[in-house]
């Protein structure tokens, strides 16, 4: 066996060139280690395998160069020498390099050729372990891979041995007698060979088998069979890699469905259309429920073109009795501006605060401000109604978007109030959706489109047109639904509480069977 150059010889302090070999885990972006995410967040160059979920790249800096090493149908596969050369060259020029690999870098990861090349070139490396596919199967497909009664050992086995390997070939006799669980990697296309080899050496054809494909991804698939039927099953289902195959009595101990696939929105693809920096709540709720969430903002929020009117109002806040917010953007933009021009919360003095709904009230709370009024129904008419009884002679300042409805100002004036409006942020339509998202929608691969405001409704219809009919629309409120309907699109569900949580509940309700009459 050829020896590697010793790592210590290369580890002298002046040599800052370094490559991090990082395990990305099996797919779920949450399964990378903290150390792995930390390395990614510092990397200038990330070379990642096709097995790596691109969603993990969100831990990288926006300026990092990201290179997929191919493996997908339409991509060029980069030769190993080329990968090595890229890593060495980048590290030598002082760039921080992450080589990101699916699962754990050292489990069937062909890491040795890369570390060898790095050491030979005098480049240091560190390895950050990852959750290997076999362990993900235990957690995400619910199959215990060891069990006190049934399995005291686990073997990770490759279904794809290189013909020219230096060591001895796999000993199927020993594997057939192995007293525990066998887990095959890279075994999809070779299922007939390895399953027959095991049976020929005496392993029972009745041994329970589980096949788990794309474990921990939002489209994880798994099925059960036996060692005798696994090759036919894989063929009949036209199953494609990556999948691991678990063989052993422990398979029989797993529940029919794992916690992962049993989540209510598992395998449901949902499009979120809010501006990116406001999408997080909705994305998190849906993701936790198992959905595969895509984000395509329909509108963008930006500062007003001119702050003069806002600044004037901020310098004269004592002239008002009420400050009214109709969105969390309004809260953020106005209060940040107050800081920017040298003021702080004390300027709000005795002003009373109104928020159109709980989201807006939450935004206020983040600045340690409590809304004095939140209407029971979260829309402008209801807000005007709850303010109207005491509005006579009161002075209102409304912090609003560049476009929006006039109803609040009109109703308050009708109730005898003085109303000034200031535009604290601009809302503009996003011109074009990302092509992959437009494609996914047009080809029916998106199940739900969420629409969380009138402005978004208009923009979504303009952006996607007839493709929208391929998905079900979830609308946040009757006002939003009204806009959609006028444009010819009938929402499939509408929230009964006009909040993000309400919208998620509406989607969930839709899944439940209708009440028996
Ligand atoms: N280093 C990786 C394995 C790379 S070899 C790891 O530690 O997981 C590639 C094989 O890994 C695939 O053919 C498949 O057998 C397995 N694999 C990787 N990710 C997988 C996943 N999410 N679900 C099922 N199998 C996976």
């Amino acid at each position: 066996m050829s020896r590697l150059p010793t790592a210590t010889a290369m580890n002298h302090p002046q040599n800052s060139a370094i490559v991090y070999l990082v395990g990305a885990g099996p797919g779920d972006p949450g399964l990378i280690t903290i150390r792995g995410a930390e390395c990614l967040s510092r990397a200038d160059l990330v070379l990642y395998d096709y097995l790596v979920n691109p969603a993990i790249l969100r831990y990288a800096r926006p300026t990092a160069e990201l290179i997929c090493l191919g493996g997908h149908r339409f991509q060029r596969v980069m030769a190993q020498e080329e990968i090595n050369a890229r890593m060495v060259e980048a590290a030598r020029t002082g760039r921080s390099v992450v080589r990101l690999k699916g699962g754990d870098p050292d489990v069937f990861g062909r890491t040795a050729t890369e570390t060898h090349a790095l050491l030979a070139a005098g480049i240091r490396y560190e390895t950050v372990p990852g959750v290997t596919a076999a362990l993900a199967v235990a957690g995400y497909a619910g199959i215990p891979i060891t069990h006190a009664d049934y399995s005291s050992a686990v073997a990770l086995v490759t279904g794809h041995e290189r013909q020219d390997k230096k060591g001895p070939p796999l000993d199927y006799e020993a594997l057939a007698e192995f007293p525990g669980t066998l887990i095959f990697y890279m075994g999809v296309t070779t299922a007939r060979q390895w399953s027959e080899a095991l049976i020929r050496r005496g392993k029972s054809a009745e041994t329970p088998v589980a096949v788990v494909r794309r474990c921990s991804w939002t489209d994880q698939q798994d099925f059960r069979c036996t060692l005798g039927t696994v090759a036919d099953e894989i063929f009949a289902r036209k199953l494609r890699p990556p999948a691991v195959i678990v063989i052993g009595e422990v398979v029989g101990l797993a529940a029919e469905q794992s916690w992962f696939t049993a989540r209510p929105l598992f395998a449901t693809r949902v499009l979120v259309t809010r501006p990116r920096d406001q999408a997080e709540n909705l994305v998190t709720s849906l993701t936790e429920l198992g959905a595969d969430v895509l984000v395509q903002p329909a509108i963008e929020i930006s500062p007003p073109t001119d702050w003069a009117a806002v600044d004037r109002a901020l310098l004269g806040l004592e002239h008002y009795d009420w400050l009214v917010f109709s969105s969390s953007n309004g809260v953020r933009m106005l209060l940040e501006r107050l800081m920017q021009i040298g003021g702080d919360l004390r300027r709000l003095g005795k002003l009373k605060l109104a928020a159109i709904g709980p989201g807006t009230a939450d935004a206020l709370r983040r600045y340690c401000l409590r809304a004095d009024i939140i209407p029971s129904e979260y829309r402008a008419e209801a807000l005007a109604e709850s303010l109207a009884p005491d509005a006579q002679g009161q002075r209102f300042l409304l912090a609003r978007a560049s476009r929006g409805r006039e109803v609040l100002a009109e109703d308050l004036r009708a109730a005898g109030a003085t109303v000034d409006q200031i535009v604290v942020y601009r809302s503009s339509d996003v011109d074009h959706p990302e092509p992959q998202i437009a494609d996914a929608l047009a080809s029916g691969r998106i199940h739900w489109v969420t629409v969380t405001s009138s402005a978004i409704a208009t923009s979504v219809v303009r952006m996607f047109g007839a493709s929208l009919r391929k998905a079900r629309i979830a609308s946040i409120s009757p006002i939003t639904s009204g806009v959609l309907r006028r444009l010819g699109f009938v929402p499939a569900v509408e929230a009964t509480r006009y909040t993000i949580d309400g919208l998620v509940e509406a989607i969930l309700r839709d899944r439940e069977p209708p009440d028996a009459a």
Side-chain angles (χ1 to χ4, degrees), residues 154-231:
V154 180
L156 307 186
V157 187
T158 175
H160 214 101
E161 270 187 299
R162 250 187 25 221
Q163 296 300 320
D164 59 342
K165 70 185 266 202
K166 296 205 180 84
L170 269 173
D171 179 347
Y172 274 93
E173 200 157 321
L175 285 177
E177 280 168 18
F178 183 75
T181 310
L182 298 177
I183 303 182
F184 273 79
Y185 285 61
M186 294 172 282
V188 169
T189 53
T190 52
R192 187 144 331 262
Q193 285 98 298
W194 55 256
S195 60
E196 284 179 358
L198 286 171
I199 293 169
R200 260 201 312 277
R201 304 307 194 293
K203 196 158 180 76
S204 164
E206 299 308 314
T207 314
V209 164
V211 179
V212 185
R213 177 169 190 268
R214 281 169 67 84
C215 188
S216 87
W217 291 69
T218 48
D219 58 352
Q220 171 176 316
Q221 286 170 284
D222 55 86
F223 66 87
R224 311 289 150 88
C225 53
T226 62
L227 189 57
T229 58
V230 64

